[in-house]
Amino acid sequence: MNAAPPPQVEVTEYTDPLCPWAWGAAPLFARLRTAWSGGARWRRVYAILFDEDEEPAPDPAAETAWYARYVAEVCAVTGASHAPRLARVAATSWPASRVAKAAERQGPDVAEEVLRRLRASMFVRGEPADTLPLALAAARDAPGLDAAQLASDAASAAVRAAVAADRAEARRPVAAAFAVADGGPHPGRPKETPAGEWRYALPTLRLRGPGGDVLVPGWRPEEAYETALRTVRG
């Protein structure tokens, strides 16, 4: 029997476990991954929305109140639920990203459930998984998870290096990202970081295939992703 041909399309999802726009897009992206599974390879890049070396807010309570309002506004657009109270703004995305990346070593089903639980820590419970113990605790009871292996992998130099590579890739947006001109609540132009770098807006999908290379940044209707897929299939 001949082996099935490999998928012709590569989909790269630039995301962060603690991003409210990515939280809102998660159900749509789950449907797309299922619908496209026979002809596309899907890869996640953790862009690190909240970095380790950012200056703390001078008034954490005021920052938390502002960010909670921002999350509520985003969720009003996306239709996603959000926690009635946010304990704090996440100190860093690194722990959740390391746990999400480590979970990929245990297969796609475990990885999806762990990522969902990491997102829920912030947007359902209002307690962002911004330390390694909190991130591991959020993932702990996921079906099929080897929690001890996850903890070991998440703490490893290899997983940290993989997340660092993701962070760097997300800070090299292609020229097309800067050409986004349409409006909307989240048009998806790259964001300047406190360090003066540029990173993809979250979420952003980049599709590459025989028909070309298409970027779908920001919050978009499902038709935009289907059109991009048809284009890159050629």
Side-chain angles (χ1 to χ4, degrees):
M1 179 182 293
N2 293 329
Q8 290 187 308
V9 173
E10 179 179 272
V11 181
T12 302
E13 176 189 354
Y14 296 95
T15 192
D16 186 285
L18 306 179
C19 170
W21 288 106
W23 165 247
L28 169 58
F29 287 179
R31 293 197 301 273
L32 294 178
R33 282 195 307 275
T34 298
W36 298 355
S37 60
R41 183 172 73 89
W42 196 291
R43 181 175 69 99
R44 281 203 181 95
V45 171
Y46 292 102
I48 306 298
L49 176 61
F50 302 102
D51 219 337
E52 290 178 315
D53 55 358
E54 295 178 5
E55 291 293 327
D59 186 341
E63 184 193 37
T64 299
W66 173 85
Y67 198 73
R69 290 193 297 271
Y70 171 71
V71 169
E73 291 168 0
V74 170
C75 290
V77 173
T78 66
S81 62
H82 62 89
R85 177 185 174 275
L86 183 63
R88 63 187 176 281
V89 178
T92 171
S93 297
W94 274 90
S97 298
R98 287 166 62 184
V99 169
K101 182 66 74 174
E104 293 177 358
R105 298 183 170 199
Q106 298 192 34
D109 292 341
V110 168
E112 291 302 317
E113 180 60 18
V114 166
L115 179 56
R116 187 193 69 78
R117 288 166 180 249
L118 291 167
R119 287 170 167 159
S121 74
M122 181 161 178
F123 301 111
V124 175
R125 296 193 300 278
E127 181 79 20
D130 56 359
T131 68
L132 198 53
L134 285 174
L136 291 169
R140 183 173 49 223
D141 296 325
L145 177 72
D146 182 332
Q149 187 63 54
L150 182 72
S152 176
D153 289 340
S156 70
V159 165
R160 182 174 178 87
V163 174
D166 280 4
R167 179 193 177 280
E169 179 180 340
R171 283 157 177 73
R172 296 191 298 268
V174 296
F178 293 95
V180 175
D182 58 335
H186 184 31
R189 285 181 58 83
K191 307 295 183 181
E192 188 172 9
T193 71
E197 302 168 304
W198 292 92
R199 65 157 172 79
Y200 285 111
L202 307 178
T204 286
L205 291 193
R206 183 180 182 187
L207 291 79
R208 285 173 282 186
D213 185 337
V214 176
L215 208 66
V216 190
W219 174 255
R220 293 288 185 271
E222 187 168 354
E223 295 76 15
Y225 302 102
E226 295 291 357
T227 298
L229 181 65
R230 288 194 296 270
T231 298
V232 301
R233 277 178 172 167

